[in-house]
Amino acid sequence: MTYRMNVRTVTLLSVLIAMQIVLSRFLSIHTWNTKIGFSFVPVVVAAMLFGALEAGVVAAFGDIIGAMMFPVGAYFPGFTLTAFFHGIVYAMLLKKKASTGRIILAVLIVQIAGSLFLNTYWISVLYGSPYWPLFFTRIYQTFVMSFVQIAVILVLNHNVIPRLKNVI
């Protein structure tokens, strides 16, 4: 099976990358070890509309381009790897059937495996901070963002994605 992207798909993915950059760099709360925001939304939209590779690319390119154009701290490729992982997980669980249970599972995997464990590891490597004390400070962020992401993805799934599927 040969897969070819058309101009509409490339354009929409580019818009999603731009949205991810704006949401991540300008409309989120950043500290050296915490980030709370809505930059996951374009990645989830790409996952639900297109699939794993596209969602991973939106997440990774958004991270790389955002870090180069609007740095918040030092660029570290581990965060890009985690972002790509988030896109893959969202797509694997939400592309075909985005039930409430699958949404909750996707968010928990992304938040616990990606944000809590992986990103905490990357922060500890980047800043030389001890892993476990840093881990425990990031539990609150993971808890809050899990509820935020579940609520937002449920709204996207019921209101936004069906309309976008009709347009594409």
Side-chain angles (χ1 to χ4, degrees), residues 12-33:
L12 186 53
L13 291 174
S14 299
V15 169
L16 291 172
I17 291 169
M19 286 175 58
Q20 199 267 349
I21 292 168
V22 170
L23 290 170
S24 174
R25 301 297 167 170
F26 301 111
L27 300 174
S28 62
I29 299 168
H30 293 271
T31 64
W32 73 277
N33 69 339

Side-chain angles (χ1 to χ4, degrees), residues 57-114:
V57 165
V58 166
F61 278 21
D63 183 68
I64 293 168
I65 296 168
M68 289 181 185
M69 293 179 66
F70 312 104
V72 174
Y75 173 74
F76 189 74
F79 296 121
T80 304
L81 180 66
T82 302
F84 187 80
F85 167 73
H86 289 178
I88 299 294
V89 169
Y90 283 133
M92 288 176 60
L93 289 167
L94 305 179
K95 171 69 173 129
K96 294 191 187 229
K97 182 182 180 194
S99 65
T100 302
R102 292 171 74 91
I103 290 170
I104 292 169
L105 181 62
V107 168
L108 290 178
I109 291 171
V110 162
Q111 284 299 308
I112 294 170

Side-chain angles (χ1 to χ4, degrees), residues 109-126:
I109 291 171
V110 162
Q111 284 299 308
I112 294 170
S115 294
L116 187 58
F117 282 98
L118 272 176
N119 280 347
T120 301
Y121 177 71
W122 302 135
I123 293 169
S124 72
V125 168
L126 185 61

Side-chain angles (χ1 to χ4, degrees), residues 1-51:
M1 174 187 232
T2 303
Y3 178 74
R4 296 182 63 195
M5 286 193 183
N6 59 31
V7 174
R8 180 179 280 175
T9 302
V10 171
T11 303
L12 186 53
L13 291 174
S14 299
V15 169
L16 291 172
I17 291 169
M19 286 175 58
Q20 199 267 349
I21 292 168
V22 170
L23 290 170
S24 174
R25 301 297 167 170
F26 301 111
L27 300 174
S28 62
I29 299 168
H30 293 271
T31 64
W32 73 277
N33 69 339
T34 303
K35 182 177 178 184
I36 296 176
F38 294 94
S39 60
F40 66 92
V41 171
V43 178
V44 170
V45 170
M48 294 173 109
L49 293 178
F50 299 109

